[in-house]
Each structure stands twice: as structure tokens, then as C-alpha cells.
Amino acid sequence: MTPEELSYTSDHEWVRLNEDGNAVFGITYYAQDALGDIVYVSLPSVGEELKAGTSCGEVESTKSVSDLFAPIDGTVVATNADLEASPELINSSPYFNGWLVEIEPDVPQQIDELLSSADYNALINKA
Amino acid sequence: MATQSADLLRTPLFSRHQELGAKCADFGGWEMPIEYSGAVAEHGAVRSRVGIFDVSHMGKLRITGPGAISALNSIVASDLAKIGNGQAQYSMLCNEQGGVVDDFIIYRFTEDNVFIIPNATNATEVFQLLRNALPSGISIENLHNEYGIIAIQGPLAGNVLGRMGLPLDCDYMNWLQADVDGETVIICRTGYTGETGFELVAPVVVLQQLWDRAIYCAAEVDGIPAGLGARDILRTEMGYPLHGQDISPTISPLEAKISWAVGWDKPDFTGRANLQATRAHGAARKRVALKAIGRGIPRAHMDVYSDLELSNKIGEITSGTFSPTLKEGIALALVDSEHDKDQSMFIDVRGKALECANVSLPFIAASPK
């Protein structure tokens, strides 16, 4: 449930570094499971500059709403357009089809400071 | 996300819910299944096929004695003279101010024998208030833990009952009895979903086998267990009030627009004088049904405004959710009666104005009858 090749935040988001240097992020399996059926997603606009740790959108389920936080500093280059019609992709495929935002990192090294899958597993097992 | 289970009550079906992988949470002091496979899938099963709910947390009270029905009729707000033996009625107990202490279904066995299913949280209070208000010679028993309740809801509910070998020849808001292993089970054509449905009120000794049979027979027609998360969405789509949110000790049936359930012609019931006065002047606030025009989900306690700038507050959401049927946000709200009902209203969704249309209930095309 926690792919080893990804990096994680304590806000239950994952980050994948692409070969072209861009980073993609989404929410973890644990996060979507805790939220339940996701019915709305609000994402930042392309071109928007994100600051790590600040709110950049919302993920809302039948039960509750959760803020989306930028995992690292960067500029939004794409968002997952499929989620507007099918937000449930986040539930069925949180690490692939349910990706949220692609950014061009300001400082790619910020990704190295995030949690490893082992660190993240330790975090959620403690909860 | 660990659930704190200390001090929470559990129904006799709790181990079944665990085996089915339910996510459980505190619901009025009871550790109840909120969802199994997911609230949206469970909602869909009830609307298109059938869902099985454990609602054993709800109260069970029995009132017996000569003239029990007429004694009760001078306390509760509905008119019990309108139902005969084998029938059920939606009713409520008001306080002297006209607020709602609890709403419930009353089942008439005979004029001397009545059964009431109050809400879980209010069951003890209703029991005590009725015990104090009923005359001597009429006795009331609190059977909260003696009976469980399984709700079978959806267009295939009758099909499932038939597969279970239970009788189902019963009109809406009527009930009948069946023998299960020597125990008497009450089968009611009632529910809280807006679909055809039955509620089985059964002694706890046969509850687990009834649940297992219901789950097995429902599975044969692609029915699934459903949790209280789906139930809340289903009832909100119908506009059915939930006590503690849409009605409460400080929200009257006139404000909540359920005065159709009040027996205005009765000489007496608790709260009658104040309710009659309010009825004559008109209530200061009224329930409205709101459908989101933009993207967003209204939630209970969000404020309602008459303007896009969110400067003129006119009320508050009492229940709000995402309707999987409509794929839109829906809400019940209490707003100032003076507000022009044809004007748009705006909900403050975390600082953003969500425009809503004032619509009539139910939100969706469904009927339990």
C-alpha cells in the first residue's frame, strides 16, 4: 500500500520525481481510505506557484473535507483533468490514475528531505 | 483513524460487522458500522437493488395497559386515533415550548398495547418522560437491549424477505408478525431511505441468524450490507429530518415543516398551546431544501446568506451532503421566514459562496410506498 519508489509527507501525500525533472503528487492509500468515497476535488491552476506546506486545494469525500498541501515549492504545470468527472479514481488508484498535480520544482533537492516509504509506514502504523 | 471504543455500546451484531470489514464509529454512544464497501456503493445498492442495515441502536419501548393508546395520544403530537391495529404512524414527543424531544414511529398492536422506536440517543429520555406522564395503570417497559432491528431497504427488499421465508404481504406503514425459532419477530413496512423497505424488530436471541439470512439472501440479488453513512445520505435525499440536526428541543415541527404529522384537532398533547400560538402567527424561521448550483458540498452548521458577498446571514444548514443520485450538493437549512423563497441563497463553504436553488422535497424521485 506504500510504494517504495515514492516520497511521502506527514500530510499523507506522495511525490514522484519524473525523468524530465517534474514532480507529481497525490494522496496516499491511507489518506483516501480514511476519507472514504471522494466526490469533489479542487486543484490549483496551471501556472500557480506553490509553497511547500501551504494549502493548494481540497479533497472532499461523502464524510469530510481535507486540505491539500503543496509537498514542495514549485510551479503547477498540469493537473489531473480526469478527476473532475471521476474523483473516485483517487480511491481506486491513489498512486497512478488518481494523481493530482504535476509541478516543476523550484528546488528538486526538497524531495530528498521528504519521508521514505519506511518512514511513512512507521508514521501511519503509529496513528 | 483508530476508533476509540471505550464505553461505547455495541449491538448483538457487532462481531458480524467486524467480520464484514466495517468501519465503525461512535453514533449516539453506540459503536456502529458507518460503511462496509463505501457509502456511495451502499447508497447505490439501496436505490437500485437492496441494502441491509443494523439499526439495533435505536430504542424500543412497549406501553401496555387498558387504554394505552389513548393515554399516549394525549402526550405525543400525532393523532393515534388515525391508525388501527397492525398499523404504524410517524410521531414525535414535543416539550412545552413546542420543540421536539424526539421523533419516532409508533406501532399499534391493540388499543392496550403499543410499541415505540425512538432514536438511540433519546431513548432513555423518552422512556422517562413517558413513564412520568402516563397515568397509573399504564406501564412502560424499556426494551432497548431485548430487541434488535434489521432494516432491509431497496426495490428488492420484498424479494429478499421472500427468500428469507418471511411474510411480506403488508402495506406501507403497516406491520405483521412472524415466528422465527419460536420467537415473535415484528416485520414493519417502514424505513428511513425513501425506498420500499422492511424493518425487522427481533428478540436478540434470533438477531444474528436473521442478519446472516438477510445478508445471504441479499447477496443472491447483488444486495450488500449498508452502514449509517449511506443511511444518512439516503434520508437526506428524501428530506427526512434527523433529530439533533433538523429537529431538536429548540426546533419545532412548524419550523421543520413536519406539522403534517401533528394532530392539531386533538384536545391535548405536550406543547400544544405554544405550537398553536406559533401556528397562528407563523414561525420566524422555516426549513428550506437547497440544491447547490456550483461545485461544493454543504455541511451541517454552515451559514446561509441572501447575498453572494456573504454579508446578510439568513440561516444555517441543519443537514448537508453530496447526493450520489444527483451528483450535487444538497442541504436542509433553517432560514428566516421573511426571506423571499424564490431568491437564491448562498452557503458559506469555508469562506467561499456556494449558490443554491430553493427546491421542493424530496430531492430525488423516490417513494417508499
Side-chain angles (χ1 to χ4, degrees):
Chain A
M1 301 297 182
T2 309
E4 281 182 25
E5 69 276 18
L6 305 181
S7 302
Y8 298 86
T9 74
S10 56
D11 296 315
H12 306 287
E13 291 171 11
W14 56 263
V15 182
R16 175 185 286 121
L17 187 61
N18 287 346
E19 283 176 11
D20 63 6
N22 285 347
V24 173
F25 68 91
I27 66 169
T28 64
Y29 178 91
Y30 176 88
Q32 65 77 30
D33 187 56
L35 277 165
D37 292 323
I38 291 161
V39 292
Y40 276 136
V41 187
S42 142
L43 298 175
S45 311
V46 170
E48 207 170 306
E49 291 178 10
L50 307 183
K51 264 291 186 226
T54 59
S55 172
C56 65
E58 287 176 346
V59 178
E60 188 154 18
S61 73
T62 55
K63 287 189 288 198
S64 62
V65 61
S66 182
D67 271 324
L68 198 62
F69 297 98
I72 54 172
D73 302 342
T75 306
V76 177
V77 295
T79 58
N80 187 348
D82 294 340
L83 297 179
E84 175 142 351
S86 306
E88 67 276 8
L89 288 172
I90 299 172
N91 292 115
S92 58
S93 177
Y95 299 112
F96 295 98
N97 298 334
W99 68 276
L100 299 174
V101 181
E102 182 179 347
I103 55 176
E104 187 183 341
D106 291 349
V107 188
Q109 292 77 12
Q110 279 183 332
I111 296 174
D112 302 333
E113 294 160 22
L114 300 176
L115 304 174
S116 68
S117 64
D119 294 340
Y120 181 69
N121 275 332
L123 177 83
I124 58 178
N125 289 332
K126 210 164 54 184
Chain B
M1 287 293 142
T3 305
Q4 177 57 257
S5 61
D7 300 328
L8 290 179
L9 299 164
R10 291 172 172 181
T11 81
L13 300 173
F14 185 77
S15 64
R16 296 293 195 272
H17 305 320
Q18 286 186 307
E19 287 160 20
L20 289 163
K23 281 184 198 162
C24 293
D26 180 359
F27 198 93
W30 291 71
E31 189 171 7
M32 296 299 291
I34 302 303
E35 60 179 33
Y36 303 83
S37 50
V40 172
E42 292 161 25
H43 161 279
V46 173
R47 287 272 177 256
S48 64
R49 301 182 302 280
V50 64
I52 312 294
F53 300 82
D54 175 19
V55 289
S56 301
H57 61 309
M58 301 194 73
K60 303 103 194 164
L61 307 174
R62 179 181 282 141
I63 299 174
T64 49
I69 199 98
S70 50
L72 187 62
N73 203 27
S74 63
I75 304 168
V76 299
S78 67
D79 188 357
L80 290 168
K82 289 180 178 167
I83 59 168
N85 297 347
Q87 292 189 308
Q89 186 181 65
Y90 176 70
S91 186
M92 69 197 91
L93 175 63
C94 292
N95 54 32
E96 289 297 345
Q97 293 73 40
V100 182
V101 175
D102 196 26
D103 66 334
F104 37 69
I105 305 279
I106 296 177
Y107 301 85
R108 176 178 160 142
F109 284 58
T110 67
E111 61 183 320
D112 306 326
N113 188 351
V114 189
F115 208 87
I116 303 181
I117 311 270
N119 282 293
T121 323
N122 303 325
T124 304
E125 186 180 5
V126 172
F127 170 68
Q128 287 168 348
L129 288 171
L130 290 180
R131 188 177 56 183
N132 293 337
L134 286 165
S136 61
I138 307 291
S139 61
I140 178 166
E141 295 165 273
N142 188 348
L143 305 173
H144 208 140
N145 298 317
E146 276 71 26
Y147 286 87
I149 307 177
I150 297 168
I152 301 175
Q153 303 279 309
L156 298 179
N159 182 309
V160 170
L161 234 67
R163 287 169 189 267
M164 292 173 72
L166 295 172
L168 56 122
D169 187 17
C170 184
D171 289 336
Y172 181 57
M173 293 305 279
N174 281 242
W175 57 269
L176 39 79
Q177 297 181 79
D179 182 286
V180 175
D181 275 7
E183 300 288 339
T184 301
V185 174
I186 309 166
I187 300 170
C188 316
R189 263 293 307 280
T190 48
Y192 198 41
T193 63
E195 297 298 330
T196 301
F198 298 84
E199 290 173 303
L200 312 182
V201 184
V204 293
V205 47
V206 293
L207 196 66
Q208 287 192 352
Q209 63 147 296
L210 270 179
W211 172 265
D212 293 344
R213 276 162 69 188
I215 294 293
Y216 181 86
C217 295
E220 293 182 323
V221 292
D222 288 332
I224 53 175
L228 298 185
R231 191 166 180 257
D232 192 57
I233 297 170
L234 290 157
R235 70 94 192 164
T236 305
E237 286 185 331
M238 295 304 292
Y240 294 159
L242 174 64
H243 192 274
Q245 291 185 197
D246 312 299
I247 48 176
S248 78
T250 57
I251 302 173
S252 78
L254 287 159
E255 293 170 316
K257 289 202 190 160
I258 50 168
S259 54
W260 56 267
V262 176
W264 295 106
D265 299 332
K266 295 200 300 182
D268 198 26
F269 60 87
T270 309
R272 183 176 187 272
N274 272 314
L275 284 169
Q276 288 284 22
T278 307
R279 193 186 185 204
H281 304 138
R285 41 181 201 170
K286 284 270 172 70
R287 187 269 293 146
V288 291
L290 302 178
K291 190 155 86 168
I293 292 172
R295 286 169 65 93
I297 305 176
R299 306 281 184 184
H301 307 302
M302 286 178 175
D303 290 330
V304 181
Y305 293 82
S306 65
D307 60 324
L308 182 64
E309 292 73 35
L310 304 180
S311 60
N312 182 35
K313 186 183 164 183
I314 55 170
E316 191 179 292
I317 302 295
T318 54
S319 285
T321 192
F322 173 81
S323 162
T325 307
L326 301 173
K327 306 231 178 289
E328 286 169 317
I330 57 171
L332 302 175
L334 271 182
V335 302
D336 295 345
S337 297
E338 286 168 12
H339 178 76
D340 181 351
K341 298 289 186 290
D342 295 329
Q343 296 282 316
S344 287
M345 295 182 222
F346 300 86
I347 303 171
D348 180 352
V349 180
R350 295 177 294 282
K352 282 185 216 153
L354 174 64
E355 186 176 2
C356 292
N358 186 8
V359 299
S360 53
L361 291 176
F363 286 105
I364 61 156
S367 167
K369 287 177 183 168

